[in-house]
Amino acid sequence: MSTSMEVDPPATNQRIEFHPLAIVHMADQYTRITSGGSPLPSNAPVVGLLFGMTGEEEQWQVLDADDIATDIIETTQQQVSLHQAVFPLHSVVGWYRVSSEDAEPIAEDLQTTQRLQQHFCSSAEQPFIFCFCQVPKNKGSDGDNGIDE
């Protein structure tokens, strides 16, 4: 595993599959927050946990994403337990952050990944996924949403 923000070269058998539901959930959360349809401020971080299953030979399936805070607090654990009550085969396999900034993952992302891995994984050897999604900034400067009517 990489200890810096560099990407590890893929091993021959490594594979991560994202179910469309996980992608849609991340996009929906981003839209709700940035458009003002959320109780959170429109500049709030768009983060959450990734649920799925790990298979043999380093293959992972990300089956769902949920906008659960990445802080290790009692509420987070309760929300994870509720998710697992409905989907008992799912475990927390990673976390995500969606940004419209022209940026790369930052050092804090690595720290969050390590903290969540220590909390949700049974061993330090167990891989933990960080998904960074970058959304292009809105080109309209006067509130134009870019949609032609």
Side-chain angles (χ1 to χ4, degrees), residues 52-53 80-91:
M53 298 184 289
V80 169
S81 296
L82 287 171
H83 181 97
Q84 291 173 328
V86 177
F87 302 103
L89 298 179
H90 288 191
S91 61

Side-chain angles (χ1 to χ4, degrees), residues 2-7 45-47 70 95-115 130-134:
S2 191
T3 56
S4 67
M5 293 308 293
E6 297 173 330
V7 175
V46 180
V47 297
T70 57
W95 74 287
Y96 65 90
R97 179 167 66 89
V98 182
S99 174
S100 61
E101 302 297 320
D102 293 329
E104 298 290 324
I106 56 176
E108 186 178 321
D109 294 333
L110 178 60
Q111 294 165 358
T112 300
T113 302
Q114 291 170 337
R115 184 173 35 81
F130 167 58
C131 177
F132 178 74
C133 305
Q134 189 177 36

